[in-house]
Amino acid sequence: MYKILIALLILSLPARSQEARDWGAFMHAVDAKDYAGKKFRLEAAVKVQLIDSNADAEIWARVDRLDNKTGFFNNMMDKPIRLNEWKIYTISGRIDKDAASFVFGGLYHRRAVFYFDAFRLYIETKKNKWDAVALPEGDFESDSVATRKVWTYLQSRKNMQANIARDEYYSGRQSLKVDASNFTAENTYGNNSITGKYAKVNGIRIYYEEYGTGEPVLLLHGNSCSISLFEKQIPELSKYFHVIAVDTRGQGKSSEDGKTYTYDLFAEDMNALLDQMHLDRVNVLGWSDGGNTGLIMAMKYPAKVKRLVSMGANVFIDKTVVDKSIFKVLKKEKKELANDSSY
């Protein structure tokens, strides 16, 4: 059975084949032929009133090339917006030399109320000289009918309604409001209303799902992931084990309390969760950060860990385990991020 545990960890990790049905988007396109090869800067103001902790918004930009292939693309999925106050977010880059059109807009996921305003597009026409591109309805100051003639909605989900609103705005007197407060996603791994539960541990709410019977197996995902990471493994593991799949604090559907994330803290959360579930001697299966958490659990709470499968983990990171070239790349990226206003 232990061999089954190892084999199923390796199988398709971190595959994500489930089609996400928890998002919506809107877009506008401009002819990009006159801007081919030039640098651009896209700005927009965004505000998010969270209902689910894992809801988020983004702005996005894409270049469609003359050969119908995609050029530049950035959807800010690595920088999700969850701030409940207006802030300008920026995407910068260069428009491909064979660009046909420049497409951009807003993106939103899961249950929240989203506001978008003040879309601006700038093109560098000369060195350090930026010219604004006229964007009709960039400030959403007309009615919904006029707005829908300019902005196209890519995905229309039930209970994700986009309309002009005056209750919140960054500039002018209106904004685009997407009310997803009543949105309900279909049951999937990581969002299962039937088997999903919350446990109050260490002052936060930890979300977890249970499947199958037998020896307990605790599944721990990697950084910026969720239970859905294990969508390929859960159906098979649940044939042999009592699967406990968990969203780490501040990720997926679990909450957080402002404390700095550490593997020790994650391990404390899991220890408290297992105490609340009256479970000892569980199998722990973790990938990446989840593997690190499993290693800490085995060191600090050895009575809780019967077996541990850890993949892609490195709990003690220093210069002896990371190649020198990686530090050069990180130093360069840190310098670039210092002036990145999209954070």
Side-chain angles (χ1 to χ4, degrees):
M1 192 169 288
Y2 186 48
K3 291 181 179 178
I4 293 172
L5 196 64
I6 296 173
L8 290 176
L9 171 63
I10 296 171
L11 175 66
S12 302
L13 186 63
R16 295 186 183 188
S17 63
Q18 285 183 329
E19 179 189 357
R21 301 178 184 273
D22 59 357
W23 64 279
F26 60 92
M27 58 159 281
H28 177 60
V30 298
D31 191 322
K33 296 184 183 68
D34 292 340
Y35 311 131
K38 292 181 169 58
K39 291 181 179 179
F40 75 89
R41 187 174 74 246
L42 176 70
E43 298 178 355
V46 185
K47 176 177 179 176
V48 180
Q49 295 175 351
L50 289 177
I51 297 174
D52 287 344
S53 62
N54 64 339
D56 57 69
E58 293 81 22
I59 62 172
W60 61 278
R62 185 188 74 221
V63 173
D64 291 340
R65 294 161 43 188
L66 292 170
D67 58 5
N68 294 321
K69 294 182 179 179
T70 298
F72 175 94
F73 180 70
N74 186 339
N75 62 6
M76 283 186 62
M77 291 297 291
D78 59 334
K79 303 172 185 177
I81 302 169
R82 297 189 173 103
L83 194 63
N84 188 20
E85 62 182 59
W86 284 107
K87 182 180 176 182
I88 293 290
Y89 296 89
T90 304
I91 294 177
S92 300
R94 187 181 294 275
I95 296 177
D96 298 69
K97 291 182 180 180
D98 58 348
S101 59
F102 183 76
V103 191
F104 58 93
L107 182 63
Y108 38 90
H109 297 81
R110 295 172 284 277
R111 205 155 62 104
V113 180
F114 308 92
Y115 295 92
F116 299 86
D117 202 358
F119 272 86
R120 303 284 186 268
L121 176 61
Y122 300 94
I123 301 294
E124 187 182 48
T125 53
K126 296 180 181 179
K127 188 172 179 60
N128 296 324
K129 184 179 185 299
W130 295 83
D131 290 348
V133 177
L135 298 180
E137 301 303 324
D139 287 307
F140 305 102
E141 290 302 299
S142 297
D143 59 24
S144 295
V145 175
T147 300
R148 290 177 184 273
K149 291 180 180 179
V150 175
W151 296 95
T152 302
Y153 296 92
L154 295 179
Q155 288 289 346
S156 180
R157 303 291 186 197
K158 184 178 180 181
N159 294 326
M160 279 188 170
Q161 302 298 322
N163 289 293
I164 296 301
R166 291 189 174 184
D167 56 323
E168 288 282 353
Y169 48 84
Y170 179 80
S171 62
R173 299 186 64 182
Q174 298 182 157
S175 67
L176 181 68
K177 176 181 180 180
V178 180
D179 188 347
S181 56
N182 294 316
F183 175 74
T184 302
E186 64 182 31
N187 284 330
T188 58
Y189 293 116
N191 187 50
N192 192 326
S193 61
I194 299 173
T195 188
K197 305 178 182 69
Y198 284 94
K200 187 73 177 292
V201 298
N202 290 344
I204 62 169
R205 297 175 77 229
I206 290 289
Y207 177 78
Y208 66 100
E209 295 176 358
E210 295 180 273
Y211 301 92
T213 59
E215 285 189 19
V217 175
L218 180 67
L219 299 187
L220 302 176
H221 61 75
N223 182 39
S224 299
C225 297
S226 68
I227 292 169
S228 63
L229 178 83
F230 293 108
E231 63 170 329
K232 291 288 188 180
Q233 289 72 36
I234 291 174
E236 290 300 317
L237 285 170
S238 61
K239 295 177 182 178
Y240 309 95
F241 299 96
H242 168 203
V243 174
I244 306 161
V246 182
D247 281 341
T248 304
R249 69 162 53 212
Q251 300 177 83
K253 300 182 75 170
S254 293
S255 66
E256 54 92 24
D257 56 5
K259 291 180 180 177
T260 300
Y261 294 174
T262 67
Y263 299 132
D264 289 277
L265 183 59
F266 291 163
E268 289 175 22
D269 291 343
M270 294 305 102
N271 183 58
L273 174 63
L274 294 176
D275 281 343
Q276 192 170 129
M277 297 178 72
H278 305 292
L279 290 174
D280 287 311
R281 301 282 291 164
V282 304
N283 300 293
V284 179
L285 188 159
W287 174 75
S288 191
D289 274 13
N292 290 342
T293 302
L295 289 169
I296 295 294
M297 289 179 68
M299 288 187 283
K300 295 185 67 174
Y301 315 106
K304 284 286 200 297
V305 181
K306 181 177 182 179
R307 298 186 182 94
L308 170 65
V309 176
S310 180
M311 181 177 180
N314 194 342
V315 72
F316 299 118
I317 301 176
D318 56 33
K319 293 184 179 180
T320 66
V321 295
V322 180
D323 190 83
K324 291 181 180 179
S325 62
I326 301 298
F327 287 101
K328 291 181 180 179
V329 172
L330 291 175
K331 186 176 181 180
K332 180 183 177 184
E333 290 184 350
K334 183 179 179 181
K335 185 177 179 180
E336 293 174 350
L337 289 172
N339 296 317
D340 189 345
S341 62
S342 61
Y343 272 102

